[in-house]
């Protein structure tokens, strides 16, 4: 099975919808994906993600299934204690780099930047939802990997957010969340494709096909 992760287009965060530029992004990524063998479209239930998914759906006519667990993750102090840049995950990753800290630290949850940041619980909750979703598609988590069962689809699209997709990919590939935030940091409608073996009964790990490809919006950004 292949999962095509797509970040939403340029948003109006206050209204939780796409801007005019964001709709152009949505049209561009739909065109980018039109020749993919997509069998199902899933999306975060946030408006900006659903609107992006609808642009993709116009090419396939499959409908869009909402996934509440893929809504953008929350960050900030868990108890009012000040946290760096209000706990923003990308800014915290940048801070770790600036201080020479290890982005691959497996104990990142216990570090000063994260131990009182609600993003930790949010990322862990998203990972739990992600595994439940994968189990429904035929892949059951066993330790760090996935046992292949009866596969439901060959290729699916999953539209979500920068933070939510980073949390999902961090869990999927057993990587620290701060590292993934720093290494990927997806642009609007960036496409990341991962593949899982369909050998029934096998214990498998995901593999990247494409990471953070946003070339389809390059000329749009230049025009606006």
């Amino acid at each position: 099975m292949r999962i095509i992760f797509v970040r939403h287009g340029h948003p109006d965060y206050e209204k939780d919808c796409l801007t005019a530029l964001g709709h152009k992004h949505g049209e561009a990524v739909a065109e980018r994906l039109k020749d993919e063998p997509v069998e199902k479209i899933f999306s975060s239930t946030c408006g900006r993600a659903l609107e992006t998914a609808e642009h993709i759906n116009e090419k396939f006519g499959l409908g869009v299934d909402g996934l509440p667990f893929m809504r953008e993750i929350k960050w900030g102090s868990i108890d009012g204690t000040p946290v760096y840049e209000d706990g923003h995950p990308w800014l915290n990753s940048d801070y770790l780099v600036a201080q020479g800290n290890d982005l691959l630290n497996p104990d990142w949850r216990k570090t000063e930047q994260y131990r009182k940041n609600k993003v930790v619980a949010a990322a862990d909750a998203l990972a739990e939802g992600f595994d439940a979703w994968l189990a429904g598609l035929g892949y059951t988590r066993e330790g760090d990997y996935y046992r292949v069962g009866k596969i439901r689809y060959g290729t699916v699209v999953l539209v979500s957010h920068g933070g939510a997709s980073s949390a999902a990919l961090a869990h999927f590939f057993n990587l620290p969340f701060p590292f993934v935030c720093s290494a990927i940091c997806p642009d609007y409608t960036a496409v990341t494709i991962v593949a899982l073996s369909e050998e029934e009964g096998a214990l498998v790990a995901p593999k990247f096909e494409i990471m953070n490809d946003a070339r389809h919006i390059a000329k749009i950004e230049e025009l606006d």
Side-chain angles (χ1 to χ4, degrees):
M1 185 181 77
R2 298 163 71 238
I3 304 173
I4 303 175
F5 289 84
V6 179
R7 188 187 177 196
H8 60 76
H10 186 268
D12 179 328
Y13 284 115
E14 185 176 345
K15 297 179 180 178
D16 188 23
C17 64
L18 296 180
T19 64
L21 177 59
H23 283 290
K24 290 183 180 179
H25 289 166
E27 293 167 359
V29 75
E31 182 68 19
R32 158 74 176 78
L33 298 178
K34 69 178 183 179
D35 294 325
E36 293 283 354
V38 176
E39 298 175 40
K40 194 73 174 176
I41 302 171
F42 297 94
S43 175
S44 152
T45 53
C46 289
R48 56 195 183 273
L50 287 169
E51 289 184 8
T52 303
E54 286 297 344
H55 281 292
I56 298 169
N57 185 50
E58 288 176 7
K59 297 291 185 182
F60 297 100
L62 298 169
V64 177
D65 282 19
L67 300 177
F69 74 86
M70 284 301 298
R71 292 177 69 87
E72 184 59 301
I73 56 177
K74 304 294 185 182
W75 55 80
S77 174
I78 60 175
D79 60 5
T81 302
V83 291
Y84 180 75
E85 292 291 348
D86 196 33
H88 191 287
W90 291 277
L91 296 179
N92 273 258
S93 291
D94 290 344
Y95 179 78
L96 290 173
V97 171
Q99 298 298 311
N101 293 317
D102 182 9
L103 287 175
L104 290 171
N105 178 4
D107 292 324
W108 64 273
R109 292 172 177 82
K110 299 177 182 178
T111 63
E112 180 181 354
Q113 286 73 36
Y114 290 97
R115 65 173 179 259
K116 291 192 174 183
N117 189 340
K118 65 180 68 174
V119 76
V120 173
D124 289 345
L126 188 143
E128 184 177 346
F130 186 74
D131 277 347
W133 174 68
L134 281 176
L137 299 181
Y139 293 88
T140 303
R141 184 89 175 191
E142 287 188 19
D144 290 336
Y145 305 111
Y146 293 87
R147 184 72 64 183
V148 185
K150 186 176 181 180
I151 308 305
R152 292 184 61 191
Y153 305 108
T155 298
V156 302
V157 171
L158 175 53
V159 183
S160 63
H161 312 267
S165 61
S166 294
L169 289 168
H171 177 65
F172 209 16
F173 285 88
N174 302 302
L175 291 167
F177 176 64
F179 171 80
V180 175
C181 287
S182 176
I184 299 181
C185 196
D187 202 346
Y188 297 124
T189 65
V191 172
T192 293
I193 303 178
V194 299
L196 286 157
S197 168
E198 296 184 1
E199 181 184 353
E200 189 166 348
L203 190 63
V204 300
K207 294 176 171 46
F208 280 110
E209 287 187 7
I210 295 174
M211 185 184 296
N212 203 24
D213 180 11
R215 290 172 291 180
H216 50 276
I217 67 167
K219 291 184 179 180
I220 295 173
E221 298 287 14
E222 291 171 6
L223 291 173
D224 287 87

